[in-house]
């Protein structure tokens, strides 16, 4: 069975709507509903007074309808009574302002009162429902990531620091507290980063984010162990949220959940949304070691920067199958029914305000059928497999968000997404690896791409060296290998950790003003960043073509042992990265999933299934398979030309109205 469903909030509706919900879920082929995520104030209306009757009835109705339940602990949103009873458990921001209820996530994870209240409601839920026949999964909390800088947090931070650094001398050294007279002579002097006069100490900020990730994880583990104790057969997870503000290192958390569950909301209305979907799927698969679950996405909207963009017909299906192709155990949404009020009343849902007589519900019905048909074929299909790995490191992201850096717009996420996008556009499938957590995974890859891996430990540097010496192809982008994991710079020239293997020494950075672009002597365009690079064993592949660096190396390549190490000292354009990574992949003998695809077509191989997504409007033929505009085809067998294909979804979404399949063929491509 593939999971298909989403957040279901029956507490927002009168009971008479619940029967219709179950009937519509059955019509759409929903297999699972996530219940209770924000129901704390309905389950415990005042402290110690519990009301479970309504939830009993909801779970029973879902069970009678054959729908499984991911039952949540509602601890992300404590009720108003909690605030008034335990004001010291409310979060305090960096400016010292204590927040109050009125939204969600108003709690301090280090506050004993919060932890106790959370465990109390979790215990009630666990003991009541652990053996309910509808229960398929526990969904702990919601999107851990809440930040607090209060005195309780300060105390917990100090305990964490003592464990990590051992003594104050070690901390003073790791944090370079000799700078600006910050030397600590007593643990009690150490605070979480709070509003201060000028720039904070970057090492303090970095350690605080790591602390917060561990502190939130401890709160999750507490609940997980409680739930497991009541029924060890039910998997436990929590939904990961991504964002620069989130102090959660998901790569570290992944080993603590039974299945990695990810919420993902693309932010571009154009093909960028598909590129982001692919990125999120590949990253989540990396966290999950192959398997994962899309826990929430928006059925019918894409949040762009300043507005909601309604998905075109067929796009819900393509996005959903995109996640599944990249290893998700299903497709789940926020949310089932669009609420009548509340802060997110216009967030889209499978049943919108218009009701089931709506394009989104009709497409959901088709998608439910599609997933049902696909499930048996996926049961034996291993997750996508790749010979190319990209590094991901939450701590490097955090380090590059600070002040006092050479440019204020350093963009870790953007840099990683850019190399993934370049591979995506060449139909080169990529995995993610997590050198900040484990260094053992480079071995089987042919190509390792290292964008903005700012923090690098000595063992990781050694593993990368070994990877190349053993025949791997390494591509390191600027701002990698700069500092030790504690944030102190590696001396002797950048990129310290990788200088030897790359055969280069960078002696000066020249960040470039926003909007300014320049060319290299091979015709590549670049922006954002330039460096003065000295070669020390590497050959120059492209040089800066003008300006003060005219004639000096921009892109280099070095044979090292049995492998090759490339260095990219500048912000190549998308086309530049695509060309470069195409060359590297070809040298490394890595084939695209399907060669020569038009830009609008995405191919993903999962086991012996080939998923072909046509994000354009015209029909495209891949091998012997015609993929209509806006449609998806899943091909059995390793080659599209010698296999049977199936169209997925209801006819409308797969071949959207106005894009008949007899439109002229845009391009033909052959599977690789
Ligand atoms: C996340 C949250 C949901 C909701 C959606 C939409 O997925 O988990 O509760 O807020 O975002 O914003």
């Amino acid at each position: 069975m593939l999971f298909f469903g989403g957040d279901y909030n029956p507490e927002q509706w009168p009971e008479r709507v619940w029967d219709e919900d179950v009937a519509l879920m059955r019509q759409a082929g929903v297999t699972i509903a996530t219940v209770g995520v924000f129901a704390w104030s309905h389950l415990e209306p005042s402290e110690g007074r519990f009301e479970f009757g309504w939830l009993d009835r909801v779970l029973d109705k879902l069970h009678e309808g054959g729908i499984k339940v991911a039952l949540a602990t509602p601890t992300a949103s404590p009720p108003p009574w909690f605030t008034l009873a335990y004001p010291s458990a409310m979060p305090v921001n960096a400016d010292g302002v204590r927040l109050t209820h009125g939204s969600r996530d108003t709690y301090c994870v280090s506050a004993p009162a919060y932890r106790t209240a959370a465990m109390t409601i979790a215990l009630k839920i666990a003991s009541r429902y652990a053996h309910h026949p509808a229960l398929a999964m526990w969904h702990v909390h919601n999107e851990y990531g809440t930040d607090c800088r209060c005195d309780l947090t300060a105390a917990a931070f100090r305990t964490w620091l003592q464990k990590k650094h051992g003594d104050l001398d070690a901390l003073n050294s790791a944090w370079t507290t000799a700078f600006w007279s910050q030397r600590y002579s007593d643990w009690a002097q150490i605070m979480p980063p709070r509003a201060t006069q000028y720039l904070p100490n970057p090492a303090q900020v970095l350690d605080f984010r790591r602390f917060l990730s561990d502190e939130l994880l401890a709160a999750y583990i507490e609940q997980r162990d409680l739930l497991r104790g009541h029924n060890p057969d039910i998997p436990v997870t929590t939904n990961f949220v991504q964002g620069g503000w989130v102090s959660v290192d998901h790569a570290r958390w992944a080993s603590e959940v039974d299945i990695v569950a990810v919420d993902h909301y693309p932010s571009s209305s154009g093909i960028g949304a598909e590129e982001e979907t692919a990125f999120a799927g590949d990253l989540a698969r990396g966290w999950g070691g192959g398997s994962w679950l899309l826990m929430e996405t928006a059925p019918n909207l894409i949040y762009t920067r300043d507005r909601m963009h309604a998905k075109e017909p067929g796009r819900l299906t393509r996005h959903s199958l995109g996640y599944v192709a990249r290893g998700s155990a299903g497709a789940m949404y926020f949310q089932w029914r669009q609420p009548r009020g509340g802060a997110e009343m216009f967030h889209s849902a499978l049943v919108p305000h218009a009701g089931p007589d709506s394009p989104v519900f009709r497409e959901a019905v088709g998608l439910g059928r599609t997933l049902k048909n696909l499930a048996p074929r996926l049961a034996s299909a291993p997750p996508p497999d790749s010979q190319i790995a990209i590094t991901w490191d939450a701590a490097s992201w955090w380090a590059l968000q600070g002040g006092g850096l050479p440019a204020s717009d350093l963009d870790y996420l953007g840099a990683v997404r850019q190399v993934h996008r370049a591979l995506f556009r060449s139909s080169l499938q990529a995995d993610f690896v997590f050198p900040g957590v484990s260094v053992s995974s480079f071995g089987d890859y042919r190509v390792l791409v290292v964008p903005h891996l700012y923090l690098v430990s000595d063992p990781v540097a050694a593993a990368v060296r070994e990877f190349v010496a053993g025949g791997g192809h390494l591509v390191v982008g600027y701002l990698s290998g700069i500092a030790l994991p504690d944030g102190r710079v590696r001396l002797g020239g950048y990129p310290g950790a990788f200088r030897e293997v790359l055969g280069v020494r960078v002696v000066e950075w020249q960040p470039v003003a926003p909007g300014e672009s320049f060319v290299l002597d091979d015709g590549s365009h670049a922006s954002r960043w330039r460096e003065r690079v000295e070669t020390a064993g590497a050959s120059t592949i492209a040089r800066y073509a003008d300006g003060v660096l005219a004639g000096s190396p921009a892109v280099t390549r070095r044979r090292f042992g049995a492998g090759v190490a490339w260095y990219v000292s500048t912000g190549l354009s998308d086309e530049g990265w695509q060309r470069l990574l195409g060359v590297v992949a070809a040298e490394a003998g890595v084939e695209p999933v399907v060669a020569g695809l038009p830009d609008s077509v995405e191919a993903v191989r999962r086991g012996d299934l080939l998923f072909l997504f046509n994000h354009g409007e015209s029909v495209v033929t891949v091998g012997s398979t015609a993929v209509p505009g806006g449609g998806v085809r899943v091909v059995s067998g390793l080659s599209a030309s010698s296999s049977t294909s199936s169209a997925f979804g209801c006819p409308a979404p797969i071949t959207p109205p106005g894009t008949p399949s007899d439109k002229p063929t845009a391009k033909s491509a052959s599977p690789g």
Side-chain angles (χ1 to χ4, degrees):
M1 175 189 97
L2 285 167
F3 293 115
F4 177 54
D7 276 40
Y8 176 42
N9 305 299
E11 68 276 16
Q12 295 171 8
W13 298 93
E15 284 208 33
R16 64 175 185 281
V17 179
W18 301 355
D19 290 321
E20 190 197 24
D21 283 329
V22 174
L24 290 174
M25 285 182 194
R26 287 174 63 83
Q27 189 185 337
V30 162
T31 60
I32 189 162
T34 305
V35 181
V37 177
F38 293 111
W40 194 344
S41 66
H42 279 248
L43 294 171
E44 191 180 1
S46 58
E47 187 167 13
R49 187 165 69 80
F50 297 94
E51 285 182 5
F52 284 108
W54 67 270
L55 188 54
D56 293 350
R57 294 195 291 285
V58 168
L59 264 51
D60 291 348
K61 274 184 200 294
L62 289 167
H63 178 59
E64 280 157 25
I67 293 151
K68 291 288 178 196
V69 169
L71 187 57
T73 61
T75 52
S77 201
W81 62 254
F82 178 79
T83 321
L84 299 181
Y86 304 100
S88 66
M90 289 297 101
V92 173
N93 68 19
D95 292 326
V97 176
R98 194 178 285 282
L99 309 181
T100 188
H101 62 257
S103 181
R104 64 181 182 188
D105 296 295
T106 42
Y107 64 89
C108 163
V109 75
S110 300
Y114 168 72
R115 295 279 273 270
T116 302
M119 287 297 277
T120 302
I121 186 72
L123 173 63
K124 287 282 176 192
I125 291 172
S127 47
R128 194 170 185 99
Y129 299 111
H131 296 280
H132 193 285
L135 184 66
M137 191 187 301
W138 293 113
H139 177 298
V140 175
H141 199 90
N142 189 66
E143 298 187 336
Y144 277 102
T146 304
D147 183 312
C148 174
R149 313 284 168 107
C150 74
D151 289 346
L152 295 167
T153 304
F157 183 36
R158 286 177 205 126
T159 305
W160 183 91
L161 290 169
Q162 279 169 356
K163 208 162 141 207
K164 174 172 179 187
H165 295 281
D167 59 49
L168 275 178
D169 284 346
L171 179 138
N172 279 312
S173 164
W175 285 16
T176 320
T177 56
F179 193 81
W180 284 350
S181 184
Q182 289 178 359
R183 186 175 173 75
Y184 296 104
S185 56
D186 192 315
W187 290 101
Q189 297 159 0
I190 301 174
M191 301 292 168
R194 290 177 176 164
T196 187
Q197 172 62 19
Y198 182 41
L199 297 173
N201 183 328
Q204 177 194 9
V205 174
L206 188 55
D207 260 355
F208 183 74
R209 295 194 75 160
R210 289 184 170 125
F211 150 77
L212 200 54
S213 180
D214 286 355
E215 187 77 344
L216 292 161
L217 181 59
Y220 161 76
I221 287 174
E222 234 166 55
Q223 288 198 36
R224 180 202 64 192
D225 291 351
L226 171 89
L227 298 165
R228 273 191 190 157
H230 281 76
N231 186 348
D233 297 334
I234 302 293
V236 188
T237 193
T238 181
N239 48 340
F240 291 176
V241 60
Q242 293 181 56
W245 54 274
V246 179
S247 285
V248 167
D249 186 342
H250 298 110
R252 284 181 191 281
W253 281 52
S255 57
E256 303 292 351
V257 294
D258 292 326
I259 180 163
V260 162
V262 169
D263 297 351
H264 183 247
Y265 296 89
S267 60
S268 153
S269 56
I271 187 77
E274 282 68 35
E275 291 167 346
E276 285 179 56
T277 296
F279 171 82
D282 288 341
L283 183 57
R285 187 178 68 254
W287 286 332
S291 58
W292 67 285
L293 172 63
L294 176 75
M295 186 59 95
E296 292 178 29
T297 191
N300 186 32
L301 71 81
I302 296 170
Y303 283 113
T304 59
R305 182 204 286 270
D306 53 2
R307 63 201 62 241
M308 295 174 177
H309 172 93
K311 288 186 187 177
E312 295 74 4
R315 212 167 184 191
L316 162 62
T317 305
R318 289 202 312 281
H319 282 186
S320 304
L321 294 182
Y323 296 112
V324 169
R326 288 171 193 274
S328 175
M332 295 173 66
Y333 307 89
F334 181 84
Q335 56 202 323
W336 166 250
R337 189 183 275 278
Q338 201 166 22
R340 295 193 70 178
E344 294 189 323
M345 63 184 151
F346 294 113
H347 188 94
S348 89
L350 292 167
V351 182
H353 290 150
D357 182 11
S358 56
V360 63
F361 186 74
R362 280 191 286 276
E363 187 164 339
V365 171
L367 178 56
R369 247 191 332 257
T370 295
L371 290 170
K372 192 171 177 198
N373 293 338
L374 202 49
R377 299 170 68 187
L378 282 174
S380 57
D385 182 30
S386 170
Q387 295 177 294
I388 302 177
I390 304 172
T391 55
W392 173 266
D393 181 42
S396 289
W397 188 3
W398 300 339
L400 290 175
Q401 289 178 322
L405 291 162
S408 60
D409 57 352
L410 301 178
D411 182 3
Y412 176 84
L413 181 63
V416 182
R417 285 220 307 228
Q418 191 187 25
V419 295
H420 184 273
R421 185 162 67 233
L423 294 168
F424 173 92
R425 290 181 183 176
S426 298
S427 199
L428 289 163
Q429 217 154 280
D431 283 349
F432 282 89
V433 291
F434 310 97
V437 177
S438 151
V439 293
S440 56
S441 44
F442 304 145
D444 294 341
Y445 291 104
R446 300 289 307 134
V447 176
L448 177 64
V449 189
V450 180
H452 280 26
L453 187 66
Y454 178 79
L455 304 173
V456 175
S457 68
D458 289 342
V460 168
V464 169
R465 191 177 182 282
E466 212 174 287
F467 167 79
V468 184
H473 293 244
L474 171 72
V475 184
V476 174
Y478 68 94
L479 279 174
S480 297
I482 307 303
L484 295 166
D486 61 25
R488 278 178 299 175
V489 171
R490 290 172 172 273
L491 302 179
Y494 314 124
F498 304 128
R499 221 166 43 219
E500 186 205 352
V501 67
L502 295 170
V504 298
R505 181 166 170 267
V506 173
V507 294
E508 187 178 281
W509 283 341
Q510 296 187 5
V512 173
E516 197 182 308
S517 67
F518 47 92
V519 288
L520 308 184
D521 68 357
D522 67 350
S524 303
H525 289 259
S527 59
R528 288 178 168 270
W529 193 264
R530 268 190 289 241
E531 291 179 340
R532 192 178 292 281
V533 179
E534 296 174 357
T535 52
S539 315
T540 300
I541 301 299
R543 295 172 192 276
Y544 292 100
D546 53 22
V548 68
L549 292 179
S552 69
V555 178
T556 64
R557 178 179 182 279
R558 183 190 195 191
R559 288 202 164 278
F560 185 88
V564 179
W566 296 75
Y567 184 56
V568 180
S569 73
T570 185
L572 285 182
S573 64
D574 281 4
E575 295 69 28
W577 268 114
Q578 193 178 348
R579 199 168 55 174
L580 176 71
L581 292 176
V583 169
V584 174
E587 270 187 20
V590 179
E591 300 278 336
V593 178
V594 179
L597 285 176
D599 288 349
S600 60
V601 178
E602 173 187 355
V604 184
R605 196 183 294 290
R606 182 170 169 181
D608 72 345
L609 295 181
L610 179 63
F611 287 72
L612 298 166
F613 300 89
N614 185 352
H615 303 302
E617 291 183 357
S618 311
V619 66
V620 173
T621 303
V622 181
S624 57
T625 302
V627 191
V632 185
R633 289 287 183 272
V634 181
V635 178
S636 295
L638 287 174
S639 148
S641 51
S642 62
S643 56
T644 49
S645 81
S646 348
F648 278 116
C650 57
I654 293 299
T655 307
T659 55
S661 53
D662 59 356
K663 268 198 166 182
T665 299
K667 189 162 177 182
S668 290
S670 43

